[in-house]
Amino acid sequence: MEYLLNPEILTAQIINGLTIGGIYALIALGYTLVYGILFMINFAHGEIFMFGSFGGFAVLTLLSNNGFSTTHPTLSILCAFAAAILISSALGAILERVAYRPLRDAPRLSPLISAIGVSIFLQNAMMLFTRGRMQVYPDIIPENFIEIGWLSISCFQISIILGCLLLMTGLYIFIYKTKTGKAMRAVAENREAASLMGIDVNRIITITFIIGSALAAAAGVMVGIYYTQINHMMGFIPGIKAFTAAVLGGIGNVPGAMLGGFFLGLAEALGVLVMPAQYKDLIAFGLLILVLIIRPKGIMGEVVSERV
Amino acid sequence: MKNKYQWYCLLVIMSLFFIPLSGYADEWGFITIPNGKPIRIGLGSMLSGDYASMGIDIKNGAEMAVLEKKSILGHPVILQAEDDGCGGPTSVAIAEKMCNNPLLVGVVGYMCSGGSKPASDVHNKYKVLMISPSSTAMELTSRGIPVFFRTCWNDATQARCAADFVIKKKWKKIVVLHDKSDYGQSLAHDFTNHISKNGLKILATEGLTRGDKDFAPILTKIKFMRPELIYFGGMAAEGVLLARQMKRVGIRAYFMSDDGCYTAKDFIQAGGRATNGCYVTYAKKPDAQWVKRFESCYGPCQTFSPQAYDATNILLEAVTQVAKKQTDGSLIIGKKALRDKVAGIQYKGITGKIAFNSHGDRTGSVVVIYKVVEENGKRFFKQLPL
Amino acid sequence: METILKTINITKTFGGLIALNQVNFEIKRGMIVGIIGPNGAGKTTFFNCLTGVYTPDSGEILFNGTNINRLKSHQIARLGISRTFQNIRLFNNMTVLENILAGHHCRMRAGLWGVLTRNKRTLREEKDSYAKARDFLNFVDLKGKGDRIAKTLSYGDQRRLEIARALAAEPQLLLLDEPTAGMNPSETGKLTQFVKRIREELGLSILLIEHDMRVIMEISDKVTVLDYGARISEGTPLQVQKDPKVIEAYLGCQEIIINKSNYPANIHSNTDLKSASLK
């Protein structure tokens, strides 16, 4: 308890919580977008995140091997993001086409099982490709620290938090201001009516997968650069946590997923101060249960749902 | 037709009598390898999943030994590698599978203590030998399982070695971390015990989750305690993240871990500069010549391949000495005889002299302290003088 | 006048139930055609076939001379058929204006790339679409309610919003499925005038399913009667009204049809028994 009263440690923990929370939020958005439209949980989303991370890794390794990254570090990192987004988006679109679309009118459990299958498939495919070895992101830019007294804040943390906020703002604008975003919401509200209004539902669903995957890919590269080591299992825990965040915020609700991600990150970071760290996950999932008891639809969940 | 069948039965029964008559009684029974069939050596380790790279390293060590041995008394030797996922239920399933294979003489494994423990019960049921290259949990050798041996050390040895070092260094403020696994917890526990016996106090003990990447919250909390040393019981995946994130959070303490972090690729290479000055406990360096040979085939030698190589060789050696060739070309191996041979073996392996005590643990001190140092632009584990 | 939509012998069955039986139908440009029939006669199924929700088992649907049998809903919408629903299906949690914009979606050209890069053309297009959406908002008398969430509108407003959304798709043919259902006489009267205005000001062809005979009488150029999935009569409202087959289909309801001033002029409730047996 004494830690909670110390402003320095509290600030440090809040920044820690926001960093990981931002990453949870980016992944959670993918879950929530897909759920909003298809009412299915894309359990392979964690693996899409993992593939994005590996995409960025491949590009950065290539660029650091030929020396390009030492002369143009920022450009290299942008390339890594672009490659990761490209790979994950393509993967997301293919998954939707191959694993989910044929099951769209099947009972709800079928696409769920399909998703779990795809998730295991992707994990193992990557394991065979990397021979199960851990891969290490090359150090492209040195990590600088902002030191304020006892506090030391990594510039990586600041960039991750800002990057996440930027992407989320972008997504928000996309969904609420652009025509494609409006079409996405229309499909989420009523797929049949949207189709009869001339919206190509299949195209919108593909775009939804692409956007969710692109956000996960961005999170993947951030994780790679920040934590440096990646392996084929890296999507599992963040996937579960992000799913929790999405449910916390109210699954299907875009601002909810963002809020849920940050909420979970902060809860984990601050929870460590109150009890021993081994209970970190207990805090996260206990919180989920608590929120769901009080608000079964999540923090920002719709109060009235008129799903047919 | 019926007549023929009866004759056949009689022949089989007669031959069964023939075995004890020929003077090889064995209270645990026999393994019979028919003429032309290979002798199988089992291997149980994690070949996929989080610690697959460590598991594959073990497999490589065993494979190398088997490939070098090629055959015993005219029977080829082959390695049957199984992925036990490091976990209880899968290890039990794999153990059942291996023990029920009539051509299998013994198993090198299992990799994790959490898998070896339930598997050893299965092996005891069928009296099939197992030699683990990497399961270091105390309880494995204290449960009175006669068929269990290990070529590695146990956690107590390792933790005591680490604790002695800490006491020698006169570090007073110590934080202990573990990864909540059997392995990590038992190390943390033994380390704490040994430290407190010597009158030192542990500031805090915290657990973290395997597979997690973000330890900044725990470390921020620990930073507040201003420790001189952080001891971590766990594997390289988390260990290297701790080492890196300690620097990030701004903890200026020493970091010490166990054999799980003794891997050049996953610890030193992955951690980069952040691993400079980290301590790990691990066996004495294996034979340099062997390392060269190994690395020419499989790439960088990681953690337990030397122990796996030795374990496999001990098994092969014991089989060679115990197996009796029959006139029809088949091999007969007494299970108890095989076990007793291993229990009493004096083997000169690449990890040093190997002999087992009555519990199946290796005798003599095997663990030493390594420090990550950077010399001439190269970073490596340097063995500290005893 | 040219024919805008024509169906030739379309049949649709669900399991053993024949929902549409060899229906031949035609509507010319600029016409308002009413479709009537007891509940369960197949009227909505007919609409669903026209809009690609169902694919007919046999027969042909020709829109401006091209066969649209196998097209998907959104493709048909793009060709120029737009509709409303018997039970309102708005995008409830979106604003009124966004609902109309969603309707206009199929007339916008920008692809995902344009949307993401927000290039000049896309921005201009989006600006135009907003202007258009506001026009439609005014057209349906929902001025000033553009920023309200659709589900908070009154029932009558929701009906009009649904029509506005359909109009925003810039159709040539508008299908209205019971637009006056659940409205009081004054609302019904307003809506009738409004449908007339749609034809006059926007020059659309309109096909409407309606139970309220006064509406049918007042605005239809032609009436088609369906019963048990088959077309049993067609003609001007007066002709149809006198057709003995129609009277028989509605059984004891003929007085209601003839007595126009009698409110509620809704046959709906009287045919429940029959529809129940059909289902």
Side-chain angles (χ1 to χ4, degrees):
Chain A
M1 263 323 205
E2 56 189 304
Y3 304 113
L4 277 180
L5 303 173
N6 182 322
E8 282 175 332
I9 200 169
L10 205 61
T11 321
Q13 285 304 45
I14 287 173
I15 290 166
N16 289 337
L18 290 177
T19 313
I20 189 74
I23 285 166
Y24 288 159
L26 282 189
I27 308 172
L29 283 168
Y31 280 109
T32 237
L33 285 173
V34 168
Y35 184 86
I37 285 195
L38 286 179
F39 305 110
M40 70 161 271
I41 307 295
N42 177 15
F43 272 116
H45 194 59
E47 275 57 52
I48 291 178
F49 157 79
M50 180 262 288
F51 265 72
S53 197
F54 271 95
F57 164 75
V59 168
L60 276 189
T61 312
L62 195 78
L63 292 179
S64 82
N65 283 348
N66 67 18
F68 182 81
S69 64
T70 38
T71 47
H72 304 87
T74 322
L75 192 62
S76 313
I77 284 175
L78 287 180
C79 283
F81 273 103
I85 287 172
L86 212 67
I87 287 174
S88 287
S89 308
L91 184 67
I94 292 168
L95 278 192
E96 192 275 321
R97 187 69 192 81
V98 176
Y100 306 143
R101 196 180 292 178
L103 296 173
R104 189 153 320 142
D105 298 317
R108 269 209 207 176
L109 277 179
S110 312
L112 193 76
I113 300 298
S114 178
I116 292 171
V118 164
S119 155
I120 295 171
F121 172 82
L122 290 177
Q123 261 174 29
N124 283 278
M126 188 48 90
M127 185 201 83
L128 289 176
F129 190 67
T130 60
R131 301 220 192 93
R133 288 252 178 173
M134 189 172 287
Q135 307 295 326
V136 182
Y137 261 64
D139 284 316
I140 301 283
I141 35 176
E143 186 171 4
N144 293 316
F145 295 91
I146 304 164
E147 306 229 0
I148 312 165
W150 184 82
L151 265 180
S152 87
I153 300 161
S154 162
C155 63
F156 282 8
Q157 288 185 307
I158 305 285
S159 336
I160 287 179
I161 298 172
L162 290 181
C164 290
L165 289 176
L166 195 76
L167 284 172
M168 286 180 215
T169 319
L171 179 74
Y172 197 83
I173 291 172
F174 177 80
I175 288 183
Y176 286 93
K177 298 284 175 230
T178 69
K179 80 159 209 182
T180 316
K182 289 196 190 84
M184 269 167 72
R185 286 164 58 212
V187 172
E189 291 265 346
N190 192 326
R191 204 190 298 168
E192 198 185 3
S195 168
L196 288 165
M197 288 306 118
I199 295 169
D200 185 345
V201 173
N202 279 338
R203 202 176 105 89
I204 294 297
I205 290 174
T206 306
I207 289 176
T208 308
F209 269 85
I210 286 177
I211 288 177
S213 307
L215 293 173
V221 179
M222 287 179 187
V223 163
I225 293 175
Y226 185 53
Y227 300 114
T228 63
Q229 46 156 304
I230 58 172
N231 69 354
H232 59 277
M233 291 298 289
M234 70 180 288
F236 182 68
I237 289 189
I240 295 281
K241 293 273 176 72
F243 174 59
T244 309
V247 175
L248 260 177
I251 189 133
N253 184 307
V254 170
M258 301 178 188
L259 195 79
F262 283 119
F263 187 72
L264 189 67
L266 282 176
E268 280 186 359
L270 296 177
V272 166
L273 297 183
V274 191
M275 21 175 150
Q278 50 263 51
Y279 301 127
K280 193 174 101 170
D281 296 340
L282 192 82
I283 298 164
F285 294 104
L287 208 65
L288 175 74
I289 295 171
L290 202 71
V291 167
L292 291 187
I293 289 172
I294 301 167
R295 284 188 67 94
K297 297 217 173 256
I299 304 171
M300 307 262 294
E302 298 166 56
V303 184
V304 188
S305 170
E306 290 175 46
R307 306 291 190 206
V308 190
Chain B
M1 272 306 276
K2 202 181 173 190
N3 223 7
K4 226 177 184 176
Y5 179 70
Q6 277 173 344
W7 274 110
Y8 181 72
C9 280
L10 197 67
L11 200 75
V12 170
I13 292 164
M14 289 261 305
S15 62
L16 280 177
F17 273 105
F18 184 71
I19 296 165
L21 281 178
S22 43
Y24 330 119
D26 194 299
E27 52 188 288
W28 287 355
F30 293 92
I31 299 162
T32 312
I33 315 266
N35 191 14
K37 294 274 179 176
I39 298 171
R40 285 177 178 268
I41 303 281
L43 177 106
S45 85
M46 191 183 216
L47 302 176
S48 64
D50 273 349
Y51 304 104
S53 84
M54 180 176 272
I56 291 167
D57 186 47
I58 288 174
K59 191 193 121 202
N60 291 343
E63 192 178 277
M64 190 172 162
V66 165
L67 290 178
E68 283 175 3
K69 184 80 183 176
K70 288 199 189 81
S71 67
I72 294 172
L73 298 172
H75 288 256
V77 185
I78 59 171
L79 186 74
Q80 178 183 343
E82 301 277 356
D83 183 359
D84 80 329
C86 236
T90 18
S91 299
V92 168
I94 295 291
E96 283 280 355
K97 180 180 170 191
M98 301 235 236
C99 290
N100 282 305
N101 186 334
L103 301 181
L104 190 121
V105 292
V107 171
V108 176
Y110 295 72
M111 172 171 146
C112 299
S113 299
S116 285
K117 188 180 156 191
S120 65
D121 288 324
V122 177
H123 277 257
N124 198 22
K125 189 168 79 186
Y126 296 101
K127 305 291 181 205
V128 174
L129 208 60
M130 61 188 279
I131 307 178
S132 173
S134 54
S135 297
T136 53
M138 279 310 289
E139 51 185 348
L140 290 172
T141 44
S142 61
R143 295 164 71 236
I145 305 254
V147 292
F148 180 84
F149 298 91
R150 56 180 156 207
T151 50
C152 55
W153 45 92
N154 65 34
D155 289 341
T157 325
Q158 197 179 168
R160 198 173 306 132
C161 173
D164 286 340
F165 182 73
V166 169
I167 293 159
K168 201 171 88 189
K169 284 274 185 184
K170 299 199 172 68
W171 288 325
K172 298 264 169 348
K173 300 167 96 179
I174 301 153
V175 169
V176 175
L177 293 175
H178 59 80
D179 64 359
K180 295 196 272 185
S181 65
D182 280 358
Y183 167 72
Q185 284 202 28
S186 105
L187 271 173
H189 181 250
D190 290 338
F191 178 81
T192 308
N193 267 356
H194 206 70
I195 288 276
S196 17
K197 257 188 231 152
N198 285 275
L200 294 175
K201 256 194 76 182
I202 302 288
L203 293 178
T205 306
E206 303 263 357
L208 43 89
T209 310
R210 279 188 174 186
D212 222 344
K213 294 233 182 290
D214 190 53
F215 304 120
I218 306 178
L219 290 171
T220 303
K221 183 177 166 185
I222 289 171
K223 182 184 180 186
F224 190 69
M225 304 172 186
R226 294 170 204 282
E228 284 171 280
L229 172 82
I230 294 179
Y231 179 79
F232 171 62
M235 309 289 269
E238 287 76 32
V240 66
L241 284 173
L242 280 173
R244 264 187 178 261
Q245 291 176 21
M246 266 170 68
K247 299 279 183 295
R248 177 173 289 159
V249 171
I251 299 179
R252 285 181 197 88
Y254 293 101
F255 179 79
M256 187 169 199
S257 188
D258 48 51
D259 51 54
C261 289
Y262 184 86
T263 115
K265 185 170 193 300
D266 292 351
F267 191 73
I268 296 187
Q269 216 174 311
R273 218 173 24 184
T275 58
N276 280 2
C278 290
Y279 296 97
V280 300
T281 47
Y282 178 66
K284 288 174 197 150
K285 276 239 180 331
D287 185 58
Q289 286 256 295
W290 178 85
V291 173
K292 232 183 238 166
R293 245 174 32 218
F294 180 87
E295 294 193 340
S296 68
C297 299
Y298 300 104
C301 168
Q302 288 198 54
T303 319
F304 288 111
S305 40
Q307 281 74 18
Y309 180 80
D310 272 351
T312 317
N313 272 332
I314 287 171
L315 196 56
L316 293 169
E317 178 65 27
V319 170
T320 315
Q321 291 187 24
V322 171
K324 295 262 165 41
K325 195 150 189 162
Q326 299 302 117
T327 43
D328 64 351
S330 65
L331 281 187
I332 286 190
I333 302 156
K335 287 184 173 178
K336 183 80 165 37
L338 187 66
R339 183 261 161 194
D340 291 343
K341 182 61 76 186
V342 170
I345 208 157
Q346 293 285 333
Y347 184 80
K348 202 178 168 309
I350 51 156
T351 59
K353 254 198 226 140
I354 300 173
F356 298 110
N357 66 15
S358 56
H359 302 295
D361 263 325
R362 242 179 114 163
T363 54
S365 110
V366 266
V367 181
V368 288
I369 307 262
Y370 288 85
K371 184 181 186 180
V372 180
V373 292
E374 193 174 349
E375 281 172 14
N376 310 326
K378 276 186 105 179
R379 219 171 269 126
F380 59 95
F381 289 109
K382 187 174 186 182
Q383 188 175 328
L384 296 185
L386 291 167
Chain C
M1 270 193 296
E2 54 172 326
T3 301
I4 182 161
L5 179 95
K6 189 173 180 179
T7 72
I8 305 165
N9 287 331
I10 60 168
T11 300
K12 176 77 192 167
T13 56
F14 296 104
L17 183 83
I18 302 171
L20 288 178
N21 191 0
Q22 307 261 328
V23 176
N24 286 304
F25 176 82
E26 193 178 3
I27 173 168
K28 293 200 156 46
R29 198 173 284 280
M31 264 183 143
I32 297 182
V33 175
I35 296 184
I36 62 169
N39 261 18
K43 302 182 298 283
T44 300
T45 308
F46 185 60
F47 268 26
N48 282 341
C49 282
L50 296 184
T51 50
V53 177
Y54 301 144
T55 306
D57 300 337
S58 63
E60 259 188 289
I61 306 171
L62 300 172
F63 181 65
N64 284 332
T66 47
N67 186 320
I68 58 167
N69 273 29
R70 305 233 146 248
L71 292 188
K72 297 223 172 70
S73 297
H74 67 91
Q75 292 167 320
I76 293 175
R78 255 169 238 189
L79 284 179
I81 302 182
S82 193
R83 71 175 284 187
T84 67
F85 301 89
Q86 191 174 356
N87 45 345
I88 302 173
R89 291 196 205 169
L90 288 170
F91 305 127
N92 279 328
N93 293 305
M94 293 166 72
T95 67
V96 169
L97 204 61
E98 282 172 342
N99 265 279
I100 302 177
L101 285 167
H104 192 62
H105 182 273
C106 63
R107 297 291 162 221
M108 293 167 75
R109 286 228 200 84
L112 183 59
W113 183 246
V115 167
L116 287 178
T117 52
R118 322 248 340 113
N119 57 26
K120 248 185 201 162
R121 223 187 68 201
T122 315
L123 289 176
R124 196 182 326 121
E125 190 179 70
E126 279 186 8
K127 214 174 143 197
D128 290 349
S129 75
Y130 265 96
K132 269 197 186 132
R134 290 200 185 282
D135 288 346
F136 283 115
L137 201 67
N138 297 343
F139 185 75
V140 298
D141 279 340
L142 287 175
K143 198 173 181 180
K145 293 179 180 169
D147 293 327
R148 286 192 35 195
I149 299 295
K151 66 182 174 194
T152 65
L153 290 182
S154 72
Y155 184 78
D157 282 354
Q158 290 195 15
R159 279 269 173 223
R160 282 211 296 279
L161 174 56
E162 216 188 10
I163 295 175
R165 186 181 66 180
L167 290 176
E170 297 176 3
Q172 301 170 31
L173 175 65
L174 182 65
L175 311 185
L176 301 174
D177 196 346
E178 295 199 31
T180 66
M183 285 188 168
N184 64 33
S186 87
E187 281 175 329
T188 304
K190 269 198 226 160
L191 198 102
T192 314
Q193 294 315 309
F194 176 59
V195 173
K196 273 188 180 167
R197 251 181 76 205
I198 294 174
R199 171 171 58 177
E200 279 151 22
E201 293 182 21
L202 304 174
L204 301 187
S205 320
I206 298 169
L207 188 56
L208 83 160
I209 295 175
E210 189 50 71
H211 278 298
D212 189 329
M213 283 305 138
R214 286 171 309 168
V215 178
I216 291 284
M217 292 298 146
E218 195 173 335
I219 59 176
S220 311
D221 301 317
K222 189 175 99 172
V223 179
T224 296
V225 188
L226 292 180
D227 191 26
Y228 287 113
R231 196 189 75 183
I232 56 168
S233 177
E234 191 173 63
T236 63
L238 279 171
Q239 282 170 345
V240 164
Q241 223 172 11
K242 286 177 188 140
D243 190 330
K245 274 197 216 148
V246 178
I247 294 168
E248 201 199 315
Y250 279 99
L251 284 173
C253 310
Q254 59 268 61
E255 320 84 286
I256 296 171
I257 299 175
I258 292 157
N259 186 356
K260 283 190 274 179
S261 58
N262 191 356
Y263 178 78
N266 209 325
I267 344 169
H268 211 158
S269 51
N270 300 331
T271 52
D272 271 355
L273 197 70
K274 197 167 171 191
S275 64
S277 66
L278 245 174
K279 281 167 192 162

